[in-house]
Amino acid sequence: MLTRKQYNLLMLIKDRLDTEGVPPSFDEMKDALGLKSKSGVHRLIVGLEERGFIRRLPHRARALEIIKMPDNAGAGGGDRGFDPKVIQGKFKGNVAGAAPMEQVDSVALPLYGRIAAGMPIEALRDHSKTFDVPASLLTSGEHYALEVAGDSMIDAGILDGDVVVIQRTDTAENGDIVVAVVEDYEVTLKRLRRRGDSIALEPANPAHETRIFGPDQVKVQGRLVSLMRHY
């Protein structure tokens, strides 16, 4: 599954390779997608590479190879449900008049797309999907579920395809694994560390780098409380 911007970038790269034989520059990608900086382009490129759509060729400037195209290529493509503020806080783990949490076997939580455990990606939401979670795995307050994409949290026991249960909160303790919104439109699952006036989002995989942001660039929208896995 690609986000709309990932899809648009992939189609731009394909068009340039087909017509000119070389991909567009980062500046051209930035301008075509309406992004504010080339760092946004970099994150989209990494996302496409992690999902197996493109390959970056080493030791060559502007060298990108398309490996595959999405099934909906040429059909108006991209996911149309994208909303930059995708994780709303108005989720209810239980409804008025229902049995108390400890008296029910499971609770149906909203399942909001896939969240990156690699580089941040734009998250998608689908109001039609829910995920049943044992009530014993929930804490107090409101909860929602997200499916994990990527491998950067594997040393914390969080694998690609796992479903994480998130407690809605806008605060977190140092060291908590959180749903973090980066620069208002990208969402990632990382361990949060505060370093003076900066915020570090730490992976749990040495193959991925810790990323440092200013205090106004990161917003917490949830804290990991449990995890579900299918075998």
Side-chain angles (χ1 to χ4, degrees), residues 218-230:
V218 176
K219 297 176 183 177
V220 172
Q221 288 199 336
R223 181 178 65 88
L224 176 67
V225 295
S226 57
L227 177 149
M228 300 284 289
R229 179 172 300 154
H230 293 289

Side-chain angles (χ1 to χ4, degrees), residues 95-129:
V95 297
M101 187 77 70
E102 63 273 11
Q103 295 180 15
V104 297
D105 293 331
S106 64
V107 175
L109 298 181
L111 178 61
Y112 279 73
R114 287 169 64 84
I115 186 169
M119 297 293 287
I121 61 171
E122 297 150 323
L124 303 174
R125 71 178 175 192
D126 182 347
H127 289 288
S128 68
K129 294 183 180 180

Side-chain angles (χ1 to χ4, degrees), residues 36-213:
K36 295 181 179 179
S37 69
K38 288 188 286 188
S39 63
V41 175
H42 174 73
R43 288 192 286 269
L44 292 174
I45 290 288
V46 170
L48 289 172
E49 187 175 30
E50 288 181 342
R51 286 157 181 77
F53 287 93
I54 65 172
R55 179 187 296 124
R56 287 183 288 182
L57 304 178
H59 313 303
R60 293 173 58 187
R62 292 176 56 177
L64 297 173
E65 177 185 7
I66 292 180
I67 300 173
K68 66 179 180 179
M69 294 295 293
D71 293 337
N72 61 344
D79 292 293
R80 299 303 182 183
F82 170 63
D83 182 335
K85 299 177 181 178
V86 294
I87 302 178
Q88 306 287 336
K90 300 176 182 177
F91 308 142
K92 299 296 182 183
N94 207 356
V95 297
M101 187 77 70
E102 63 273 11
Q103 295 180 15
V104 297
D105 293 331
S106 64
V107 175
L109 298 181
L111 178 61
Y112 279 73
R114 287 169 64 84
I115 186 169
M119 297 293 287
I121 61 171
E122 297 150 323
L124 303 174
R125 71 178 175 192
D126 182 347
H127 289 288
S128 68
K129 294 183 180 180
T130 61
F131 189 83
D132 290 336
V133 175
S136 60
L137 295 183
L138 304 181
T139 59
S140 60
E142 304 171 356
H143 298 79
Y144 55 93
L146 290 165
E147 186 180 357
V148 173
D151 65 357
S152 78
M153 297 302 289
I154 57 174
D155 287 349
I158 303 171
L159 308 182
D160 183 76
D162 286 349
V163 174
V164 290
V165 178
I166 305 297
Q167 178 192 41
R168 163 68 179 173
T169 181
D170 57 6
T171 61
E173 298 294 329
N174 221 27
D176 282 349
I177 296 176
V178 302
V179 173
V181 180
V182 180
E183 295 179 343
D184 288 333
Y185 70 96
E186 294 174 315
V187 184
T188 189
L189 184 72
K190 290 292 183 293
R191 193 176 301 278
L192 182 144
R193 302 282 187 190
R194 291 184 176 85
R195 300 179 176 179
D197 292 332
S198 299
I199 293 176
L201 297 179
E202 293 183 350
N205 181 340
H208 295 262
E209 295 182 353
T210 295
R211 307 183 70 212
I212 309 296
F213 297 94

